[in-house]
Amino acid sequence: MMERLCASADVPEGEVFQVDLGDGRVLAVYRVDGQVYATDDLCTHGDASLAEGEIENGEIVCPYHMGKFDIRTGEATGAPCSIALRTYSVVERDEAIHLI
Ligand code: FES
């Protein structure tokens, strides 16, 4: 079953938006080149919300130590990050973004 994360309008092109599902899961939802993606919001290096970071060339730059992750794959692409982010499958339908 699909789980609604947020409205499409919450995530403009090139932006990242935090979604707290209220059950311990906090996700970062991204839009890059029109496509939506989701990862865990918590950086794997420290206690930082990636939704407060900036997207550059398909990567999210952590606001704390400027580590980087590939938004599509979750792979850690910039030091000091070395552990991949968990990614989630999302779909956009009816003006909303859903977890599938
Ligand atoms: Fe994210 Fe250190 S907490 S790079």
Side-chain angles (χ1 to χ4, degrees):
M1 199 181 103
M2 293 199 302
E3 184 170 4
R4 187 183 187 282
L5 293 176
C6 57
S8 292
D10 289 328
V11 194
E13 175 60 33
E15 299 282 325
V16 53
F17 182 74
Q18 187 194 70
V19 176
D20 187 338
L21 290 167
D23 60 2
R25 292 177 297 166
V26 183
L27 273 53
V29 183
Y30 311 82
R31 187 184 301 277
V32 178
D33 295 335
Q35 292 295 311
V36 290
Y37 302 91
T39 70
D40 277 333
D41 183 51
L42 184 66
C43 183
T44 59
H45 178 252
D47 190 22
S49 165
L50 294 172
E52 293 174 12
E54 298 288 332
I55 296 176
E56 288 178 6
N57 300 319
E59 297 175 324
I60 182 68
V61 182
C62 178
Y64 276 20
H65 310 108
M66 305 301 167
K68 295 181 187 177
F69 300 92
D70 185 310
I71 289 168
R72 293 171 176 83
T73 65
E75 181 190 354
T77 51
C81 301
S82 60
I83 301 167
L85 278 177
R86 180 172 177 182
T87 59
Y88 299 84
S89 295
V90 290
V91 66
E92 192 163 29
R93 194 167 297 165
D94 299 330
E95 300 295 313
I97 298 168
H98 307 266
L99 200 56
I100 52 175

